[in-house]
């Protein structure tokens, strides 16, 4: 995400759209018909209408999840929850998958949703891999085909047992042949867009939707990059939901009967990222020393204010495949200094650590970590980079910087950041043996056995990789007391807000 600095002073005018005004719309007196005003993380200047490329704004993702159907979404405990798709059936080799879709589904313009529309959308996502981190790179889309009005066949480039989870990702379905994306595209989701723009959208309930009728007639979504501005919008009554607010704000408003906090447990990480192909991080002794110098409890207490838990350098601790029997890494300054001496840095080491303010506490984490490293003989200069360019000029480019992960599954992290040919291999983790073991695991049909194999890969990454995962923070959303039904799952699940209601 690429948030931009904003002032709160003009927020009311932009937040409440069209006829609504800052006092709400004429339908607001009826609890069942109230307008839900939702402020989400997002930079207005980068808001988009294309659901298939790179989606950098949470505001865009949330809007797309309301406008378009997806094949599946994340469910509890790592289980895939079908949406537009009703079944995923593999062949014996786990390379050809038959996917059946719901019947009787229509786009908002009345056209039926067909397998051809789904395949068109998947092929377009695949073609835009350079923008969306290779979201569907495991598929051979030239070999995919439609086998019926509501059935399609997908072929993977090699055995891949996790196809349902791969299709939980942003598989937004649009009509076959769509070419214009300068305005909202027709969808078949629970809402349709009736006004505003990509930065400040007005959506109304789609009464043709196949699912349970959403309880709220209208939802307005506003892209607001500053977490304090988002929170203040709810506190002042100008919005009903603010996503991803500061822990400090949560602490300040606790006890206010007019407000509620929705916790999404252990979904936010700000790992410190080291590139293995650049000095001094190409030396495993330096990487281990930096991990050992981290006071993880202090970081969690001061960055997340206790709304989280200590990390153990595992990138996806909530994933079902994450190993649970790994000893907790604790601070050991003596060992860290000895490792630095062995690596030729006994007289000290100087580093530059980049950070930003895109998410609450990223800058605090970097400043605190720099002080902790100083106690091990490592001098760190922290540079606070502009949030609007951080994810294009710092992420996956600098030697040492503050990263972000938001609760995505391990197989997605591997695809995006770990495999040798991953589109954003930010740590230069390129190990052919690790890649081979990953693909071998993905060919295991038995789920429990496959998870154990993936867990072994995560142990190796923890011990030898370039991530310092010092803690995992809760996602914190602020709402008015009248809001209920806000999702509290990690990652993509948090975008599905069609069950949110006002007035109990």
């Amino acid at each position: 995400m690429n948030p931009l600095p904003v002032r709160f002073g003009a927020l009311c005018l932009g937040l409440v759209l069209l006829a609504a005004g800052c006092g709400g719309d004429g339908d607001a007196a009826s609890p069942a018909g109230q307008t839900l005003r939702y402020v989400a993380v997002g930079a207005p200047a980068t808001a988009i209408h294309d659901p298939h490329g790179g989606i950098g704004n949470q505001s865009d993702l949330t809007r797309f999840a309301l406008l378009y159907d997806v094949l599946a979404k994340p469910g509890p405990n790592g289980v895939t929850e079908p949406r537009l798709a009703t079944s995923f059936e593999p062949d014996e080799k786990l390379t050809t998958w038959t996917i059946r879709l719901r019947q009787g589904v229509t786009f908002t313009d009345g056209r039926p949703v067909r397998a051809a529309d789904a395949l068109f959308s998947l092929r377009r996502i695949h073609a835009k891999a350079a923008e969306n981190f290779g979201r569907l790179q495991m598929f051979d889309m030239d070999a995919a085909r439609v086998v019926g009005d509501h059935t399609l066949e997908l072929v993977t480039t090699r055995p891949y047992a996790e196809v349902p989870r791969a299709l939980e990702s942003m598989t937004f379905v649009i009509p076959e042949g769509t070419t214009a994306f300068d305005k909202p595209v027709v969808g078949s989701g629970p809402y349709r867009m009736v006004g505003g723009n990509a930065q400040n959208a007005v959506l109304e309930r789609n009464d043709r939707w196949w699912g349970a009728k959403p309880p709220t007639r209208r939802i307005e979504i506003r892209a607001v990059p500053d977490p304090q501005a988002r929170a203040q919008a709810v506190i002042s009554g100008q919005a009903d939901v603010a996503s991803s607010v500061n822990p400090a704000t949560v602490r300040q408003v606790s006890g206010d009967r007019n407000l509620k906090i929705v916790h999404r447990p252990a979904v936010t990480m700000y790992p410190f990222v080291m590139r293995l192909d650049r000095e001094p991080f190409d030396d495993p002794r330096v990487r281990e020393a930096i991990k050992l110098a981290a006071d993880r409890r202090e970081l969690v207490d001061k960055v997340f204010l206790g709304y989280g838990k200590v990390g153990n350098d595992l990138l996806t601790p909530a994933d079902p495949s994450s190993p649970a029997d790994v000893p907790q890494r604790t601070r050991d300054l003596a060992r860290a200094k000895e490792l630095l001496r062995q690596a030729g840095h006994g007289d000290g080491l100087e580093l530059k650590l980049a950070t930003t303010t895109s998410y609450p506490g990223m800058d605090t984490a970097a400043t605190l970590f720099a002080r902790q490293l100083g106690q091990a003989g490592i001098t760190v200069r922290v540079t606070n980079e502009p949030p609007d360019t951080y994810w294009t000029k710092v992420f996956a480019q600098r030697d040492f910087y503050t990263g972000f992960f938001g609760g995505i599954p391990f197989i997605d992290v591997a695809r995006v950041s770990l495999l040798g040919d991953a589109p954003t291999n930010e740590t230069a983790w390129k190990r052919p043996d690790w890649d081979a073991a990953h693909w071998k695991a993905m060919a295991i049909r038995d789920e429990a056995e496959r998870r154990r194999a993936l867990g072994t890969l995560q142990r190796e990454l923890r011990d030898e990789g370039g991530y310092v995962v010092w803690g995992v923070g809760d996602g914190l959303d602020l709402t008015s007391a009248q809001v209920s039904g806000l999702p509290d799952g990690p990652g993509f699940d948090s975008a599905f807000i069609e069950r949110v209601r006002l007035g109990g």
Side-chain angles (χ1 to χ4, degrees), residues 51 85 110 120 136 141 152 222 254 353 451 481:
F120 169 81
L136 297 179
M141 284 301 175
L152 65 150
R222 168 76 170 178
S254 62
L353 173 62
R451 287 180 175 178

Side-chain angles (χ1 to χ4, degrees), residues 348-434:
L349 179 63
E350 294 186 1
L351 301 172
K352 185 164 66 173
L353 173 62
T355 192
T356 191
T357 57
S358 290
Y359 292 91
M362 288 183 74
D363 53 340
T364 303
T367 301
L368 182 56
F369 189 49
R371 183 178 63 76
Q372 293 176 356
L373 291 180
Q375 296 168 356
I378 303 173
T379 301
V380 179
R381 180 167 68 89
V382 175
T383 63
N384 203 331
E385 307 288 345
D388 56 325
T389 56
Y390 191 80
W391 304 104
T392 56
K393 295 185 177 180
V394 176
F395 170 69
Q397 297 180 55
R398 295 285 181 87
D399 299 353
F400 193 30
Y401 65 91
T402 310
F404 173 83
F405 280 99
I408 65 175
F410 175 70
I411 62 168
D412 282 353
V413 174
R415 169 182 55 80
V416 171
S417 300
L418 300 175
L419 293 170
D421 61 352
T424 312
N425 195 321
E426 58 181 338
T427 63
W429 174 260
K430 297 186 178 183
R431 300 194 173 191
D433 290 346
W434 194 92

Side-chain angles (χ1 to χ4, degrees), residues 477-501:
D477 298 336
L478 181 66
T479 80
S480 78
Q482 297 300 308
V483 172
S484 61
L486 196 69
D488 58 7
F492 191 35
D493 178 68
S494 65
F496 290 86
I497 64 170
E498 76 273 1
R499 302 312 306 164
V500 178
R501 76 165 58 235

Side-chain angles (χ1 to χ4, degrees), residues 193-217:
M193 191 163 166
V194 296
N197 51 39
Q199 300 89 357
N200 195 0
V202 182
L203 283 65
E204 285 193 352
R205 186 170 54 215
N206 173 19
D207 290 329
R208 292 181 175 180
W209 191 51
W210 56 266
K213 182 179 179 179
T216 303
R217 185 180 69 82

Side-chain angles (χ1 to χ4, degrees), residues 182-237:
D182 57 335
K183 58 183 179 181
V185 178
V186 172
S188 62
Y191 284 78
R192 58 192 179 92
M193 191 163 166
V194 296
N197 51 39
Q199 300 89 357
N200 195 0
V202 182
L203 283 65
E204 285 193 352
R205 186 170 54 215
N206 173 19
D207 290 329
R208 292 181 175 180
W209 191 51
W210 56 266
K213 182 179 179 179
T216 303
R217 185 180 69 82
R218 175 178 287 190
I219 297 178
E220 296 172 356
I221 301 175
R222 168 76 170 178
V224 177
D226 182 68
Q228 188 56 40
R230 292 194 298 272
Q232 187 58 40
V234 173
I235 293 169
S236 65

